[in-house]
């Protein structure tokens, strides 16, 4: 019942896309009748290189179950959240996100599911430094000569099919932390 009530509300306010959860799987046909026909499968990861093979297996399994009712795949959730309070430097988290979340999943999706839109992890709080890394990539000056010699992450803005952000998080809404 909650699933279809939420679907009715989403249809009324014009939500364009929402995540597939167990609630919506059971009400999928009802959602279609209401005009909601764009769903995304949610996947998650923990930024560890040694978990990539099992993670990719999980994605494949999930898409076999949900691919027929999805038009996109959302990979992760708020990858930058622990940078908002300063517990992890933004640069470090972004490079991990790029190497262990974005790059392997983007490559896999484009090779195996090119018809699905790819949504990399929504980022929290509209963080400008994170947006800069998305658009410009990450390059570092190794020897202090003012020349950035090493690329740690390529720009990905033009590879993203859908950009997702959660603006309800800190620093604007302190109760969300």
């Amino acid at each position: 019942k909650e699933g279809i009530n939420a679907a009715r509300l989403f249809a009324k306010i014009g939500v364009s896309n929402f995540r597939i959860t167990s609630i919506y799987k059971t009400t999928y046909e009802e959602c279609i009748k209401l005009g909601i026909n764009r769903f995304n499968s949610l996947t998650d990861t923990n930024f560890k290189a040694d978990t990539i093979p099992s993670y990719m297996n999980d994605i494949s399994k999930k898409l076999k179950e949900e691919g027929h009712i999805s038009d996109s795949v959302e990979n992760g959730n708020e990858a930058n959240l622990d940078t908002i309070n300063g517990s992890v430097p933004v640069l470090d988290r972004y490079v991990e996100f790029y190497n262990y979340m974005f790059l392997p999943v983007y490559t896999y999706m484009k090779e195996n599911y090119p018809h699905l839109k790819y949504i990399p992890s929504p980022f929290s709080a509209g963080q400008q430094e994170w947006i800069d890394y998305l658009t410009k990539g990450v390059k570092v000056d190794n020897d202090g000569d003012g020349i950035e010699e090493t690329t740690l992450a390529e720009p990905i803005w033009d590879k993203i099919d859908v950009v997702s952000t959660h603006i309800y998080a800190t620093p604007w809404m302190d109760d969300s932390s």
Side-chain angles (χ1 to χ4, degrees):
K1 182 152 170 87
E2 289 98 6
I4 199 61
N5 287 340
R8 285 187 181 117
L9 173 65
F10 293 155
K12 187 173 184 109
I13 64 173
V15 169
S16 63
N17 190 315
F18 62 96
R19 293 177 181 155
I20 295 172
T21 64
S22 57
I23 290 173
Y24 300 113
K25 279 185 192 177
T26 61
T27 60
Y28 175 73
E29 294 302 323
E30 294 290 326
C31 291
I32 294 298
K33 289 177 190 171
L34 291 169
I36 299 173
N37 56 12
R38 294 184 3 208
F39 298 85
N40 69 58
S41 294
L42 175 67
T43 62
D44 215 344
T45 190
N46 60 3
F47 301 114
K48 303 284 185 202
D50 60 348
T51 63
I52 290 174
S54 65
Y55 179 56
M56 300 310 289
N57 186 48
D58 291 346
I59 290 172
S60 177
K61 195 165 139 184
K62 187 168 186 70
L63 287 174
K64 284 180 182 159
E65 294 171 11
E66 299 175 357
H68 67 289
I69 60 173
S70 298
D71 78 340
S72 58
V73 171
E74 184 175 322
N75 177 222
N77 188 37
E78 296 180 334
N80 69 323
L81 189 60
D82 56 359
T83 69
I84 303 297
N85 67 8
S87 63
V88 175
V90 179
L91 175 68
D92 294 349
R93 177 58 77 223
Y94 186 83
V95 170
E96 289 175 340
F97 156 79
Y98 177 81
N99 287 302
Y100 303 133
M101 182 183 276
F102 175 79
L103 204 53
V105 178
Y106 174 81
T107 302
Y108 176 81
M109 291 301 302
K110 294 305 172 185
E111 288 174 359
N112 296 284
Y113 297 93
H115 62 286
L116 295 178
K117 293 181 188 110
Y118 177 63
I119 308 170
S121 176
F123 55 96
S124 180
Q127 188 178 50
Q128 187 61 52
E129 189 174 358
W130 193 268
I131 295 167
D132 289 344
Y133 293 147
L134 288 170
T135 58
K136 299 173 188 169
V138 179
K139 294 184 179 185
V140 293
D141 176 0
N142 296 325
D143 54 16
D145 65 359
I147 300 170
E148 296 174 330
E149 297 94 358
T150 304
T151 299
L152 300 178
E154 294 289 336
I156 65 171
W157 192 258
D158 292 338
K159 295 179 179 178
I160 298 172
D161 296 318
V162 178
V163 174
S164 180
T165 184
H166 299 164
I167 59 171
Y168 54 79
T170 55
W172 295 289
M173 294 179 68
D174 293 334
D175 62 340
S176 66
S177 56

